[in-house]
Amino acid sequence: HCKKLAPTWEKLADKAAQHGSSVKIAEGDCTSTAKDACGQYKVTGYPKLMLFFADGDGIAAASYSGGRTLNDMWAWMRKVEADPATYRDKTQSGKADKKKDIRRGPGSKQGGGDDPGEPGAVTKITDKSQLEAMVKEGPVFAKFYAPWCG
């Protein structure tokens, strides 16, 4: 499922950029760089799609369980973007650790990818604090995966 979703996920990033969406499209490998974020948000199956947004001093998440088509994900993303509190997961909220030094890795700026300024590129989640920093700048629709996921 993970590899099959990859081209659609890239198209979603392109569409978000073309339409000027405030939502960044990101992805994280739960077996390496995004392991801490996956643990924080109880990611146990792959791919796991979640939209993160600022919620007071912390971060809230809305899990996506709809269709895997571009149109299905786009429509849901736009609904959550318009009214995130309605979709918030009741059990998944994390507080940003203000004492921790926020490290920025490759692709941590809006757009992401190899060229951080490239519109429509999927941003790679390098660790939990980088995800938290991105969410402070605006909503993030993230795909969590494992490389072995087919």
Side-chain angles (χ1 to χ4, degrees), residues 30-49:
C30 287
T31 66
S32 66
T33 57
K35 196 174 205 174
D36 56 352
C38 294
Q40 173 75 32
Y41 293 98
K42 299 173 178 57
V43 176
T44 56
Y46 309 111
K48 174 74 171 181
L49 307 180

Side-chain angles (χ1 to χ4, degrees), residues 44-57:
T44 56
Y46 309 111
K48 174 74 171 181
L49 307 180
M50 303 177 81
L51 196 142
F52 295 91
F53 52 93
D55 184 33
D57 287 351

Side-chain angles (χ1 to χ4, degrees), residues 9 24-28 122-125 131 134 140-143:
W9 199 246
K24 295 177 193 96
I25 307 300
E27 64 183 13
V122 175
T123 301
K124 301 292 183 193
I125 298 170
L131 173 61
M134 286 192 321
V140 176
F141 195 11
K143 173 184 78 170

Side-chain angles (χ1 to χ4, degrees), residues 98-121:
K98 293 180 182 175
K99 296 176 189 170
K100 193 170 188 177
D101 183 31
I102 296 175
R103 294 174 289 151
R104 296 234 174 215
S108 64
K109 295 181 182 175
Q110 186 169 358
D114 293 331
D115 175 1
E118 183 183 342

Side-chain angles (χ1 to χ4, degrees), residues 63-130:
S63 293
Y64 178 75
S65 59
R68 300 296 196 204
T69 69
L70 177 61
N71 289 336
D72 288 339
M73 291 186 289
W74 174 253
W76 182 83
M77 184 184 90
R78 298 298 288 185
K79 287 178 187 175
V80 177
E81 184 179 17
D83 186 16
T86 301
Y87 294 88
R88 179 180 176 198
D89 288 351
K90 303 298 183 216
T91 59
Q92 298 182 352
S93 180
K95 291 283 183 188
D97 186 351
K98 293 180 182 175
K99 296 176 189 170
K100 193 170 188 177
D101 183 31
I102 296 175
R103 294 174 289 151
R104 296 234 174 215
S108 64
K109 295 181 182 175
Q110 186 169 358
D114 293 331
D115 175 1
E118 183 183 342
V122 175
T123 301
K124 301 292 183 193
I125 298 170
T126 56
D127 61 26
K128 184 176 82 167
S129 44
Q130 182 245 358

